[in-house]
């Protein structure tokens, strides 16, 4: 009789997929916010945060990253090995960004607690997905039922 636990997604991976969904939403709106802020500064005769071409590049990168994150979440149940690799890349980018945000907030003199929490959550999620739990769940052989 096949073991039904081999077909279930571990609870830690479910939490990670929820985290990735939240990050995808934040990433999408973050890209849009850069364009909006740049345009607002230009409309008021101020210097923009960055050149408009760079802002559009950043916004398109953020939208692409958000689309990749949502795609990974949607296809994670299929246990495709490339989804694990894509999740590792997305979580690495998110963890690096949150670590820089947390350290930047310390440098500015006002610690940003959400940045620290997301940085630790991203690092823990990255460790789980790239570790044995992620390897076991996303391996191509994991879906094969053994007698």
């Amino acid at each position: 009789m096949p073991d039904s636990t081999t077909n279930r997604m571990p609870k830690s991976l479910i939490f990670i997929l929820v985290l990735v969904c939240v990050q995808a939403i934040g990433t999408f709106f973050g890209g849009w916010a850069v364009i909006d802020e740049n345009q607002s500064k230009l409309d008021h005769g101020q210097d923009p945060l960055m050149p408009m071409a760079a802002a559009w590049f950043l916004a398109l990168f953020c939208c692409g990253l958000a689309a990749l994150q949502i795609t990974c979440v949607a296809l994670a149940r299929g246990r495709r090995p490339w989804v694990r690799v894509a999740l590792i890349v997305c979580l690495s980018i998110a963890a690096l960004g949150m670590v820089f945000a947390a350290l930047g907030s310390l440098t500015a003199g006002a610690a940003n607690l959400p940045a620290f929490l997301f940085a630790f959550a991203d690092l823990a999620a990255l460790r789980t997905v790239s570790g044995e739990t992620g390897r076991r769940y996303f391996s191509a052989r994991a879906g094969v039922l053994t007698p």
Side-chain angles (χ1 to χ4, degrees):
M1 177 142 226
D3 184 14
S4 64
T5 60
T6 58
N7 291 328
R8 289 197 175 160
M9 184 180 294
K11 289 184 186 350
S12 60
L13 285 179
I14 293 171
F15 172 75
I16 290 168
L17 294 178
V18 170
L19 176 69
V20 169
C21 282
V22 169
Q23 287 178 340
I25 293 167
T27 301
F28 177 79
F29 285 117
W32 172 77
V34 169
I35 295 293
D36 187 49
E37 182 65 23
N38 244 15
Q39 191 61 47
S40 175
K41 286 189 175 279
L42 287 174
D43 290 345
H44 292 95
Q46 300 172 346
D47 290 334
L49 297 173
M50 61 182 70
M52 263 328 246
W56 276 105
F57 176 78
L58 180 63
L60 291 175
F61 177 78
C62 287
C63 289
L65 183 62
L68 178 62
Q69 288 172 319
I70 294 297
T71 302
C72 287
V73 170
L75 298 177
R77 184 82 176 129
R79 295 179 176 227
R80 293 168 176 86
W82 67 266
V83 171
R84 177 176 171 257
V85 174
L87 281 172
I88 290 170
V89 169
C90 291
L91 286 168
S92 297
I93 292 170
L96 188 63
M98 285 293 108
V99 166
F100 282 142
L103 293 176
S105 71
L106 284 178
T107 304
N112 185 351
L113 183 61
F116 281 103
L117 293 177
F118 271 103
F120 285 122
D122 287 338
L123 291 172
L126 182 60
R127 183 171 185 234
T128 302
V129 172
S130 63
E132 189 59 33
T133 302
R135 190 175 304 118
R136 209 172 335 121
Y137 180 76
F138 286 109
S139 71
R141 295 176 301 214
V144 178
L145 298 176
T146 56

